[in-house]
Amino acid sequence: MYKYSDFDEAFVRERCAQFRGQVERRIDGSLTEEEFRPLRLMNGLYLQLHAYMLRIAVPYGTLRSDQMRQFAHIADTWDKGYGHFTTRQNIQFNWPKLKDVPDILDALADVQMHAIQTSGNTIRNTTVDHFAGAAADEIADPRPTAELIRQWSTDHPEFQFLPRKFKIAVGAAKHDRAVLRAHDVAVELVEEDGQPGYRIFVGGGLGRTPMIGQVVRDFLPKADLLPYLEAIVSTYNLLGRRDNKYKARIKITVFENGLDTFRDLAEAEFARIRDGFSGVDQDVLADLERQFALPAFKNADPSALSAAVAVDPTLAAWVARNTNPHKVETHASVTISLKEHGKTPGDASSEQMRVMADLADAYGYGELRVSHEQNIIMPHVAKADLPAVFTALAKVGLATANAGLTSDIIACPGMDYCALATARSIPVAEKIALRVQELGLEQEIGLMKIKISGCINACGHHHVGHIGILGLDRAGVENYQITLGGDGTENAAIGQRTGPGFAYDEVVPAVERLLKTYLEKRETAEETFLDAYRRLGADPFKEALYGDAKKNAA
Amino acid sequence: MARKFTPKVLTANDLLEGDVIYMTADGQWVRDHASAELIEDETIADMRMLTAQGQQDHIVGPYLADAKAGPNGPEPTHFREEFRTRGPSNYYHGKQADTSKESANV
Ligand code: HEM
Ligand code: SF4
């Protein structure tokens, strides 16, 4: 598996030592908060509502078992025994003490991890499809490309002070599991006439002005990736607005200037700088592709699984829901659900982390992934080992068979933690999951993406939820806006607002009405909520949400 | 006409712990909202804010938050400030789990 080069190790250690000095100087009073704040943000340290929060990058969501074990150690030693996995494929610790943060960063560096550039107006953690390197439907592993982008963007002198933060995602399958079209720039591995290359999207983003990314280049030869990205970022760096933080993201730049103008400028810049790239990057990429080579898969007879599934319906349900087709017929990718009904989406206790690390060592070639849907993935598991993995997960509350179902909710930290929040999101997710479990309708409903954000920043991706929920503060009371029809896949769409929001206690019943309306109106069990919404339009769902209120008002 | 001044408490986060703190009438920082000074006069509010701004070697981000008088001391009026007096709702963490109100001085 891929390891940092020596240069990175020295760089990360130096940053740790620097930050230790900065923390000491903040504590002894020689640095003011004004001076310290940008320094701590550069190192992933936020001050939230009740405590500091440390955000740790998990580059393209790929974790080794020893790194997961180190998270458990950090959670037990310096935090409250758990960690929170996020939609940026990161992990956050919610309770570190300022003086302990340098020790945490050292402990991270011991396993080649860090919290650098998880904030600030820089190029952030590059995200990828969480089944990267394993999915049956991908054309190649997108992670070498993501790592190349990470190396190019980390500490890139020109791009430390962009107009605004910049997020890149990489995918490699027709089915988009990485929300490519909601990113500032997205890179999709494609082939044209047998030649490998990339399709480049630009100008997607969520937040207060959600936009779907557009194709700026349909086919870019593989060797041209970095000069092309550099041209895009430079064009944005020049053109992007710095006068208004709400208009500073590249989506606004592209929108205000028009895609064609933006493309022309980027292409001209590309033509200008292209020859300056000597091709060293291609050697690096070739080397990365070797380093990301797949493990030597064991040859285990999968028929043991069929036998076990035949006699154990709970195992059967879990295998059906929580595994994804693998490149290698004898294997599967496992989704470990961090969405036990009634629990905080994305949280894992230190005990659960250790179990996942041990399982990765025993059955998963030492590899784990963080998914943007706030679950953990075991990318490679022999089908014959699935029963053993299931049994071990079930013992620690990690075998909920709900991947892609109603209770597999994305929720941002919201007002339980986040200082920017206008309402809570976690308890809303918990209550929806409990209610749908109580109703026993989850399997029948099938594919359903509910996504919840606690403010307009949209960290919970609510715009691309089939049902999106946005928590707001309306005259000093929590109020929740519902959007319908959002989609984060290759058919990306921004959800449409249904109408007035709902009070905290009304959200769960409102969602329940939507679910029941769908079950009544769908043509077949195969027609998903999203399909039904697209066929029927918003009206029947609005009726379900507001019908009574309308009648009462009349 | 100037906007009517509504009562406030002065609040911030503790530099070392990150925990929510409030200023008492005698200028101490405590963790308990009810022990805070309820400031009912704008001039005093401005003065307290200035004092706090001079104390940023051990506090972070001071601001004035709306509050009202209650039987045991000031109470928050907005839900955000109410959550800040307690901690998160998904775990019994933060202030709500703090058993030692007495040792609350910072
Ligand atoms: C202290 C906590 C956090 C702060 C201060 C914060 C801040 C922000 C802000 C200001 C934006 C809007 C950016 C813009 O539109 O220009 C944003 C967007 C976003 N954040 Fe967060 N966030 C926090 C936690 C999280 C968490 C926990 C996640 C993952 C679960 C996350 C993932 C995202 C995503 C996916 C977006 C929207 C995509 C986009 O940038 O267009 N953030 N965040
Ligand atoms: S969406 Fe808002 S409330 Fe939720 S984490 Fe992002 S900034 Fe905080």
Side-chain angles (χ1 to χ4, degrees), chain A residues 115-174:
Chain A
I116 297 167
Q117 274 187 26
T118 54
S119 87
N121 293 333
T122 58
I123 298 178
R124 302 287 189 88
N125 183 24
T126 300
T127 48
V128 297
D129 182 339
H130 42 264
F131 294 128
D137 60 352
E138 77 181 12
I139 65 171
D141 188 343
R143 290 174 303 159
T145 298
E147 173 59 15
L148 182 70
I149 294 172
R150 190 191 70 77
Q151 292 188 5
W152 158 77
S153 66
T154 301
D155 248 27
H156 192 302
E158 243 185 273
F159 302 149
Q160 291 304 299
F161 298 97
L162 294 170
R164 199 75 180 89
K165 58 169 116 166
F166 202 88
K167 297 179 180 176
I168 303 181
V170 187
K174 277 236 158 48

Side-chain angles (χ1 to χ4, degrees), chain A residues 49-70:
Chain A
L49 277 186
H50 314 291
Y52 287 98
M53 177 272 279
L54 184 67
R55 183 182 288 177
I56 298 158
V58 181
Y60 28 85
T62 298
L63 267 184
R64 301 191 312 255
S65 53
D66 63 313
Q67 294 171 324
M68 182 65 103
R69 229 170 254 120
Q70 192 76 330

Side-chain angles (χ1 to χ4, degrees), chain B residues 15-26:
Chain B
L15 173 67
L16 297 178
E17 307 274 313
D19 194 6
V20 175
I21 50 178
Y22 305 95
M23 193 184 257
T24 61
D26 59 357

